[in-house]
Amino acid sequence: MIKTKQIQRPQLVMIVDDHEINRDAIGAILEDDYELLFAENGKEALDLMQKHATELSIVLLDLMMPVMSGFEVLAFIQKDELLRTIPVIVLTAEKQAELKALQMGAADFITKPFDMPEVILARVGRIIELSEGRALISAAERDPLTGLYNRNFFFEYANRLYHYHPEYKMDAVVINIERFHTINALNGRSFGDDVLRCIGVEIRLFLAETEGISSRVEADRFEIYCIPQPDYAAVLARLQEAVSRISSKVNIHLRMGVKPWQENIDPVILFDGAQAACNMVRGDYKNPLMIYNEDMHLQELLNQRLLNGLLPAVKEKQLRVFYQPKYDILHDPPRLSSAEALIRWDHPELGMISPGQFVPLFEGNGLIGIVDSFVWEEAARQVASWRDRLGFTLPVSVNLSRSDVFDPTLIDRLVHLIESNNLSYSNIKLEVTESAYTDNAGQVLGVIRQLRELGFEIEMDDFGSGYSSLNMLSDMPFDVLKMDMKFIRSIETNEVDRRLVTLILDIARYLGVRVVAEGVETEGQLNILRDDGCDLVQGYYFSRPLPPEEFEKLILREIEIS
Ligand code: C2E
Ligand code: MG
Ligand code: MG
């Protein structure tokens, strides 16, 4: 008969002592019965305890150590709700120290020198057995990966605090990882687990310094119920810093939503608010923290309305595509070169809504694909129609969202788009935002290379708003660089911006790509750009985005000139 003990993995014991000779001595006594982990000082011991918190059966801790003494370790452990459940036996030669250690939460002590192996084995075995009941309870209420409470127990305890300890006025904090499924898919599950574990450790360290409880309620969603913090940005920053240390190659971004305590709002509702706040900053790497407020509540209602309204909007033709011209300014007079297709939503109650209000919202939940397909179809149909009716083929750029780039059917859909409208690949250009390039560089670059091989021209949109470094730039496949509007806005007045623009133009020349300046509004800006050798200009100076019937007039004028 197989005994339960044989199926179980050997119990994990950590031995902490600054002297190798002591570690070896104890190790030799325990190695046949236990799996062993060693640490040379208190600091290392705490790191390992954090990492293996849910696996450790017991810790044997020397009291006198440089760097961080056993007492300091005990004091720390007492503050951590999870570490506190791991029994500690202290190793000491001083009677005085034994008492103090027991008062500080140690379960037992072993006296040096270690000359009675049977006694030591028996003590370790007994303490593990005694704590097993506790360990079982603790395991049932915790997420095995992070050691934080699981969802049920978390809300059980949060509700108890709420009902029986009204003196605790707790805030709800939600933390999510940006595109965690992609991180998992690209780097493997065990890397994903490392990220989750790291967040768990850092949250516990944070809670050891303040008051609160925490949970990994599901996948990459962490919740903290804690006394109000003076600076949530700092809390997020320390978590972000911890995950950033995991890998220099993978960019991991956290976002945080907070709903402050409110009279008569129970934890479940409070956390709904915090989650909503967290969702508001999805994808916004520059402002990853949102504290719930009244405006947000209104925004939430509006978002809900837009989300529910999208499918009817497509059906009832409320979505419209506007076109904004790009002019080739190296020609005199400037020549109409192409256009960008920009989505507009003509909402029956809300009026004309600009994409800034709904594109990020739909990017967050996959619905943007519906908008984009609509725009691509519409733009392709329009290019063909102008060609057939006016005899003028004007290439049109369409915007690709991040999620489009990761869609495995993207290439087939675009090929079909071109073929079914009887276009050539040079008639439709693709704008990909800079931040999509830097996100998951490998996969994105592969897809973009394939698109270019087919004959699509790729424009890197919003260049300068993301974080691509110069050495990455030379590996990135694109044909046109679209300089972010923020550089243009002040080139007439701000010397630094002006020099940046010159620098970007130099880099583009070096890379052999053309440059579009976006957001050009004045003649002064235009002249500076022309003098610096910028190829193309898009902006209100030439025209705002126009509905197709009005844009047609620009084409007719162009036909007249040439
Ligand atoms: P973008 O692709 O960088 O588009 C340029 C934006 O700059 C447009 O805003 C355009 O109206 C605006 N703009 C052009 N010239 C000027 C100017 O001289 N001054 C100022 N202040 N603004 C100017 P719009 O149409 O509101 O679009 C905003 C963003 O929404 C776009 O930025 C793009 O990222 C996104 N977007 C628009 N249409 C689509 C779409 O069909 N699909 C996707 N995924 N995103 C889209
Ligand atoms: Mg664009
Ligand atoms: Mg742009």
Side-chain angles (χ1 to χ4, degrees):
M1 198 174 80
I2 300 175
K3 297 205 189 99
T4 334
K5 269 245 176 300
Q6 289 171 307
I7 314 174
Q8 283 172 353
R9 36 191 293 210
Q11 287 158 321
L12 183 62
V13 174
M14 178 156 75
I15 299 169
V16 189
D17 198 306
D18 54 327
H19 293 292
E20 189 177 1
I21 187 166
N22 287 340
R23 294 197 299 273
D24 286 350
I26 295 260
I29 298 169
L30 299 176
E31 68 187 358
D32 289 342
D33 298 271
Y34 300 99
E35 203 177 318
L36 301 178
L37 202 59
F38 295 94
E40 294 179 19
N41 57 56
K43 170 131 189 13
E44 196 186 340
L46 277 180
D47 283 348
L48 286 171
M49 279 186 88
Q50 295 283 10
K51 216 185 219 155
H52 300 278
T54 53
E55 306 148 60
L56 270 173
S57 290
I58 196 165
V59 174
L60 306 189
L61 179 68
D62 181 26
L63 286 177
M64 301 307 160
M65 292 181 294
V67 183
M68 186 177 193
S69 77
F71 290 116
E72 288 171 272
V73 175
L74 281 173
F76 187 94
I77 290 174
Q78 281 311 305
K79 285 193 287 181
D80 186 304
E81 50 177 23
L82 178 60
L83 299 188
R84 204 160 49 203
T85 64
I86 306 168
V88 177
I89 296 185
V90 295
L91 311 172
T92 175
E94 283 177 58
K95 276 269 168 289
Q96 202 58 33
E98 278 166 13
L99 180 62
K100 186 172 171 206
L102 292 178
Q103 284 167 342
M104 289 181 72
D108 203 347
F109 52 85
I110 293 176
T111 315
K112 292 180 183 180
F114 312 123
D115 45 9
M116 296 173 72
E118 329 59 65
V119 174
I120 292 174
L121 260 176
R123 286 202 167 175
V124 169
R126 187 179 57 93
I127 296 288
I128 290 179
E129 222 175 280
L130 279 175
S131 71
E132 249 168 14
R134 265 199 321 188
L136 269 180
I137 296 171
S138 153
E141 63 186 18
R142 283 176 194 278
D143 159 35
L145 189 66
T146 60
L148 304 181
Y149 287 124
N150 59 35
R151 186 175 200 293
N152 287 344
F153 278 88
F154 176 69
F155 277 104
E156 170 70 29
Y157 292 146
N159 280 324
R160 276 192 219 168
L161 280 170
Y162 172 75
H163 288 293
Y164 306 122
H165 298 277
E167 70 276 15
Y168 282 109
K169 301 188 183 344
M170 308 285 249
D171 290 354
V173 180
V174 169
I175 296 141
N176 277 178
I177 306 171
E178 293 286 352
R179 276 191 296 289
F180 184 59
H181 56 280
T182 324
I183 295 179
N184 260 330
L186 294 176
N187 306 285
R189 248 195 112 82
S190 93
F191 181 84
D193 284 354
D194 285 346
V195 176
L196 297 171
R197 219 177 279 123
C198 165
I199 296 174
V201 168
E202 201 57 38
I203 288 179
R204 289 213 315 275
L205 287 172
F206 161 66
L207 285 181
E209 297 160 18
T210 182
E211 284 190 77
I213 56 175
S214 64
S215 165
R216 181 168 75 109
V217 288
E218 59 178 49
D220 65 331
R221 177 166 160 196
F222 292 83
E223 300 193 341
I224 308 177
Y225 193 51
C226 60
I227 57 170
Q229 302 295 310
D231 185 356
Y232 281 104
V235 178
L236 176 58
R238 79 182 268 182
L239 292 171
Q240 177 64 53
E241 220 167 85
V243 292
S244 298
R245 278 196 299 267
I246 298 177
S247 163
S248 56
K249 296 200 187 69
V250 187
N251 288 323
I252 305 157
H253 297 275
L254 303 181
R255 60 173 184 272
M256 179 185 276
V258 179
K259 171 128 193 196
W261 179 88
Q262 220 180 314
E263 191 87 47
N264 292 329
I265 299 284
D266 73 29
V268 172
I269 307 286
L270 206 63
F271 275 100
D272 281 349
Q275 180 65 52
C278 192
N279 288 343
M280 299 282 302
V281 287
R282 191 195 294 268
D284 189 347
Y285 297 173
K286 284 185 202 148
N287 303 297
L289 170 67
M290 174 63 95
I291 314 249
Y292 194 98
N293 56 35
E294 247 337 279
D295 291 351
M296 235 204 78
H297 178 63
L298 295 177
Q299 182 69 49
E300 219 181 307
L301 295 178
L302 177 65
N303 285 353
Q304 207 48 52
R305 219 160 143 191
L306 295 176
L307 288 171
N308 296 335
L310 178 62
L311 289 178
V314 176
K315 241 196 245 144
E316 290 156 27
K317 303 213 182 316
Q318 296 164 17
L319 295 186
R320 302 200 57 197
V321 179
F322 278 32
Y323 297 86
Q324 188 178 32
K326 298 180 193 179
Y327 279 89
D328 178 347
I329 57 166
L330 298 183
H331 252 265
D332 193 21
R335 202 164 64 177
L336 179 62
S337 155
S338 61
E340 176 172 9
L342 293 160
I343 186 74
R344 297 289 179 267
W345 185 344
D346 195 357
H347 196 281
E349 292 137 30
L350 302 168
M352 195 66 94
I353 316 174
S354 79
Q357 275 190 277
F358 60 86
V359 165
L361 173 69
F362 293 157
E363 268 174 349
N365 49 33
L367 289 178
I368 192 66
I370 298 175
V371 176
D372 287 340
S373 303
F374 171 81
V375 174
W376 304 347
E377 294 288 342
E378 191 53 33
R381 206 195 44 69
Q382 187 66 67
V383 172
S385 155
W386 279 329
R387 178 196 61 199
D388 297 342
R389 285 190 298 112
L390 310 178
F392 193 93
T393 306
L394 184 79
V396 168
S397 320
V398 296
N399 288 287
L400 261 60
S401 307
R402 259 182 267 254
S403 56
D404 295 325
V405 183
F406 291 105
D407 175 2
T409 67
L410 173 72
I411 306 235
D412 288 344
R413 283 164 57 207
L414 286 173
V415 168
H416 178 76
L417 183 76
I418 296 296
E419 288 177 351
S420 60
N421 286 285
N422 202 11
L423 297 177
S424 78
Y425 286 92
S426 60
N427 298 160
I428 296 289
K429 300 168 195 266
L430 308 175
E431 297 195 5
V432 181
T433 179
E434 182 198 352
S435 59
Y437 274 85
T438 41
D439 246 13
N440 280 304
Q443 187 175 354
V444 176
L445 300 192
V447 172
I448 290 178
R449 286 204 183 97
Q450 284 184 55
L451 291 170
R452 283 181 89 202
E453 272 162 31
L454 281 170
F456 284 111
E457 239 183 44
I458 309 291
E459 307 191 1
M460 187 192 277
D461 207 352
D462 313 317
F463 177 75
S465 65
Y467 299 97
S468 46
S469 55
L470 286 180
N471 59 0
M472 285 173 82
L473 205 56
S474 60
D475 290 333
M476 291 178 176
F478 60 92
D479 306 275
V480 174
L481 195 155
K482 291 191 81 175
M483 219 181 324
D484 199 68
M485 262 182 249
K486 69 170 185 232
F487 295 112
I488 312 298
R489 203 170 298 140
S490 47
I491 41 173
E492 288 171 286
T493 49
N494 182 328
E495 184 59 24
V496 176
D497 277 351
R498 180 175 179 160
R499 283 212 220 135
L500 271 175
V501 167
T502 311
L503 182 69
I504 292 173
L505 287 165
D506 282 343
I507 293 169
R509 215 166 290 135
Y510 171 77
L511 293 172
V513 299
R514 277 163 296 143
V515 174
V516 180
E518 279 194 89
V520 175
E521 298 186 353
T522 69
E523 184 156 16
Q525 293 167 339
L526 177 70
N527 289 336
I528 292 174
L529 288 162
R530 186 193 290 113
D531 292 346
D532 270 355
C534 177
D535 306 81
L536 297 154
V537 156
Q538 175 180 353
Y540 295 171
Y541 174 75
F542 284 112
S543 168
R544 289 182 175 257
L546 300 171
E549 49 291 358
E550 273 183 57
F551 189 91
E552 210 165 297
K553 293 180 194 153
L554 296 186
I555 298 183
L556 292 173
R557 198 191 312 155
E558 197 65 28
I559 295 175
E560 230 169 77
I561 301 173
S562 55

